[in-house]
Amino acid sequence: MSEVAPLISDLAIILIIAGIVTVIFKWLKQPVILGYIVAGIMAGPSVSLVPTVSDPANIKIWADIGVIFLLFAMGLDFSFKKLINVGITAIVATVTIVCGMMFIGYTAGNAMGFSHMSSIFLGGMLSMSSTAIVFKAFNDMGLLQQKFTGIVLGILVIEDLVAVVMMVVLSTLAVGKHFEGKEMLESILKLAAFLIFWSALGIYLIPTLLKKIRRFTSNEILLITSLGLCLGMVMIATKAGFSAALGAFVMGSLLAETVEAEKIVHIVQPVKDLFASIFFVSVGMMIDPAMMWEYAVPIFILTLLVLSGQVLFGSFGVLLSGQPLKIAIQSGFSLTQVGEFAFIIASLGVSLNVTDKYLYPVIVAVSVITTFLTPYMIRLSEPAYRFIDIHMPESLKDYLVHYTSGAMTVKHQGTWHKLIRSMLVSVTLYLVVCVFSSLYIFPMCIL
């Protein structure tokens, strides 16, 4: 008698449990993302009341695919034009958040008795919010068209880019016990070259390709082509030393600039929903109730630090960039979770054998708890803004109004400004092509 492969049986278990639990959560008018996490806890190895998966490693593969398609879908919805519109705000807010949360994480780690290196890694983990979780929460709550969600997604994209550089810095620190400026600068140049080169190439090639084959394509062919381009960019990104999520987002952003963007979003949606649900179930499977009880105090402290720190630094960073107080508070409350990059940074510390062994399960528990609280924190932003607005002194209120109106004033550019800008764009593109060729193409030719 033939048996079902563990990969299929495990997938069947998590989808059945997820389907039942999410129906209950929908009936209770709760965010579906919370139902996926509860389903993951039930399907995980720590709960024996229901059938559990036999090989969690198989689910991790499906979850990795889910992250790729989530970031791909986010790229389709958040094009480069939107990123440019919130560019300055996102950069200022990201720098504020990362610096503030790195300091809080390092200080808290030292205070709780973590090792010096574990405290540094902890700061990096706490500074990274979750692009996938926030995007899913916004989508479920119908907030994607709000102005603050565009700013939040811009911050998250830049945080993902910062995380790539941060991993290089942390690796250098772990191995050499000091900053290696040359290696860090090379990593930044490689990242910039990769993004600009493929963006410039894709903006010219991909729309032309889709226009050429438009009359021959059906929904099926367009779906296969889009997913193929997505996974192709994922392979290129990983070969270049970057994350698969970054490659998926870049390709989604490129396809968002094509005439077929809306159609691609529609036909990719079911694929994204399937694998995204598996990803969030896998997040729930990482939690062990017994482990949470053993490390309850540090988990509780770090959870409070993430919630309060992200609200404080996120709101302050967005406000500092010139956005109104309401948008700043909404943005800060939306970033109150530990993201998937924290797992990558934690795995890096474990593989290099420089962090305490209990740091990984602690950060996973904090991530799951903050993920649970994300939809509620987003909803809490409105009453929080009203409370602050009522109790804020009029003088401070007037100052913020003048500050934001001055920062958002549109300055007209003369002809020579446009000329200089166009020249800088051309020079930058040529420079990027040269750097990209020297870093990637020439070494491959030599080999």
Side-chain angles (χ1 to χ4, degrees):
M1 183 176 179
S2 61
E3 295 183 358
V4 178
L7 181 65
I8 299 176
S9 61
D10 290 344
L11 185 61
I13 289 173
I14 66 172
L15 290 180
I16 291 172
I17 296 177
I20 296 173
V21 173
T22 49
V23 168
I24 295 174
F25 269 68
K26 200 70 175 178
W27 176 63
L28 296 174
K29 297 182 179 180
Q30 298 298 314
V32 175
I33 185 175
L34 302 183
Y36 288 137
I37 296 175
V38 170
I41 296 174
M42 295 175 62
S46 59
V47 177
S48 57
L49 298 177
V50 295
T52 57
V53 299
S54 59
D55 189 359
N58 288 335
I59 304 305
K60 185 180 182 305
I61 297 175
W62 292 110
D64 291 341
I65 299 175
V67 172
I68 289 172
F69 287 135
L70 266 177
L71 269 294
F72 179 59
M74 191 197 74
L76 285 170
D77 186 73
F78 192 70
S79 64
F80 283 112
K81 292 178 182 178
K82 293 182 181 178
L83 183 59
I84 291 173
N85 290 337
V86 298
I88 299 300
T89 298
I91 292 172
V92 172
T94 301
V95 171
T96 305
I97 293 169
V98 171
C99 292
M101 294 304 296
M102 284 282 289
F103 174 77
I104 286 180
Y106 178 76
T107 304
N110 281 331
M112 290 187 291
F114 291 6
S115 66
H116 174 68
M117 195 58 65
S118 291
S119 299
I120 295 176
F121 272 73
L122 177 64
M125 296 175 207
L126 297 187
S127 64
M128 295 291 111
S129 299
S130 175
T131 306
I133 291 169
V134 172
F135 181 73
K136 179 66 175 175
F138 284 163
N139 188 51
D140 289 344
M141 299 171 71
L143 298 174
L144 283 176
Q145 302 304 318
Q146 298 290 324
K147 182 179 180 180
F148 80 93
T149 61
I151 294 174
V152 171
L153 294 176
I155 293 171
L156 292 169
V157 169
I158 296 179
E159 278 189 357
D160 289 346
L161 303 183
V162 171
V164 176
V165 180
M166 184 183 294
M167 291 176 64
V168 176
V169 175
L170 292 176
S171 300
T172 306
L173 265 178
V175 176
K177 307 299 181 183
H178 64 280
F179 283 99
E180 188 66 38
K182 182 179 179 181
E183 183 178 349
M184 184 174 67
L185 180 60
E186 181 182 350
S187 174
I188 295 173
L189 288 175
K190 288 172 64 176
L191 178 61
F194 176 83
L195 291 175
I196 300 177
F197 178 84
W198 285 109
S199 298
L201 195 66
I203 287 173
Y204 286 104
L205 291 183
I206 294 178
T208 303
L209 173 64
L210 292 181
K211 284 182 181 178
K212 293 288 185 183
I213 66 172
R214 188 174 186 180
R215 55 178 177 157
F216 304 108
T217 58
S218 59
N219 286 349
E220 178 184 358
I221 295 174
L222 188 59
L223 173 64
I224 298 301
T225 303
S226 302
L227 297 183
L229 289 171
C230 171
L231 296 179
M233 183 58 76
V234 166
M235 292 178 59
I236 293 172
T238 53
K239 290 291 184 181
F242 304 116
S243 68
L246 178 64
F249 172 80
V250 169
M251 182 51 65
S253 298
L254 294 177
L255 290 175
E257 306 297 335
T258 66
V259 294
E260 300 285 359
E262 292 186 7
K263 192 174 182 180
I264 293 173
V265 171
H266 177 72
I267 61 177
V268 168
Q269 186 73 27
V271 179
K272 186 265 295 182
D273 288 341
L274 170 62
F275 289 105
S277 65
I278 298 173
F279 165 70
F280 291 111
V281 170
S282 71
V283 171
M285 291 174 60
M286 296 178 189
I287 196 66
D288 182 358
M291 180 272 300
M292 290 182 64
W293 179 254
E294 183 178 355
Y295 295 102
V297 174
I299 290 173
F300 178 74
I301 292 174
L302 292 177
T303 300
L304 287 181
L305 288 177
V306 169
L307 296 177
S308 58
Q310 289 284 2
V311 168
L312 174 63
F313 294 113
S315 300
F316 178 72
V318 175
L319 190 64
L320 189 65
S321 68
Q323 296 295 332
L325 179 62
K326 182 177 182 180
I327 291 178
I329 293 176
Q330 288 175 318
S331 301
F333 273 79
S334 301
L335 296 166
T336 52
Q337 69 287 133
V338 174
E340 50 274 2
F341 263 112
F343 305 147
I344 301 175
I345 295 174
S347 300
L348 177 66
V350 172
S351 63
L352 295 174
N353 199 27
V354 295
T355 57
D356 301 320
K357 293 184 178 179
Y358 55 80
L359 183 59
Y360 187 86
V362 166
I363 204 66
V364 168
V366 173
S367 175
V368 171
I369 295 172
T370 53
T371 298
F372 251 109
L373 296 175
T374 294
Y376 300 106
M377 294 297 292
I378 295 174
R379 290 173 178 172
L380 188 61
S381 63
E382 284 280 353
Y385 164 72
R386 290 195 294 268
F387 177 83
I388 294 174
D389 186 58
I390 292 173
H391 294 84
M392 180 181 290
E394 288 297 328
S395 58
L396 181 57
K397 213 181 279 189
D398 292 338
Y399 172 78
L400 289 178
V401 170
H402 287 299
Y403 178 79
T404 55
S405 61
M408 296 175 67
T409 300
V410 178
K411 297 180 179 180
H412 296 284
Q413 295 180 330
T415 306
W416 67 277
H417 282 104
K418 297 179 181 179
L419 177 61
I420 292 176
R421 186 174 64 179
S422 63
M423 291 174 63
L424 285 175
V425 170
S426 301
V427 171
T428 301
L429 288 177
Y430 281 117
L431 179 62
V432 166
V433 171
C434 294
V435 173
F436 189 87
S437 300
S438 63
L439 291 176
Y440 298 108
I441 299 177
F442 292 159
M444 291 176 61
C445 294
I446 294 174
L447 294 176

